[in-house]
Amino acid sequence: MSWLFFLILLLINMLAFYAYRKLSLMRSLSQIQAEVELEMQSRAHQLLVRRDQLEVGLVKEASEQADEQWKGDLAEYMEEFEQEALLRAKQRLTRI
């Protein structure tokens, strides 16, 4: 009878350790994702500020060239955002 209790306690301890490891992994992944989201949000804000400067006329350069550069930067940002979203979706599917 005591062996049965010992095995049950051992099984519970092993399950608790497994759950602890999974939770710590998930915590570190969510922190990395939060940092990436913050960086993407910062870049989006910089793009919007630069666009506002173009519209107001604070940028004295050739407006067409600056507008084309802004459009290129925006396209690059959107591409990186889509790639990051796809990567996150794949990571979620592999964890499940």
Side-chain angles (χ1 to χ4, degrees):
M1 190 67 151
S2 65
W3 283 101
L4 179 62
F5 289 128
F6 174 74
L7 291 176
I8 290 172
L9 286 175
L10 183 63
L11 179 64
I12 290 172
N13 282 335
M14 289 172 52
L15 288 174
F17 182 71
Y18 176 74
Y20 172 77
R21 286 185 45 155
K22 278 292 193 182
L23 287 174
S24 65
L25 176 66
M26 288 173 58
R27 181 184 59 180
S28 65
L29 288 176
S30 63
Q31 182 179 1
I32 292 169
Q33 289 174 347
E35 290 173 0
V36 169
E37 288 173 5
L38 182 64
E39 176 66 26
M40 296 298 279
Q41 185 179 19
S42 172
R43 290 183 60 201
H45 176 72
Q46 289 173 356
L47 286 171
L48 290 175
V49 166
R50 192 159 47 161
R51 179 62 182 178
D52 288 343
Q53 288 174 344
L54 282 173
E55 290 176 354
V56 173
L58 296 176
V59 178
K60 304 283 187 205
E61 301 170 358
S63 64
E64 286 183 21
Q65 181 183 7
D67 192 45
E68 289 298 319
Q69 182 182 5
W70 182 84
K71 287 179 183 177
D73 290 345
L74 181 64
E76 179 184 330
Y77 168 79
M78 292 302 294
E79 178 68 26
E80 288 180 15
F81 186 80
E82 289 174 7
Q83 292 296 325
E84 184 65 30
L86 288 174
L87 181 64
R88 289 183 195 165
K90 287 179 184 178
Q91 287 176 346
R92 285 187 192 126
L93 290 176
T94 57
R95 278 192 271 154
I96 296 175

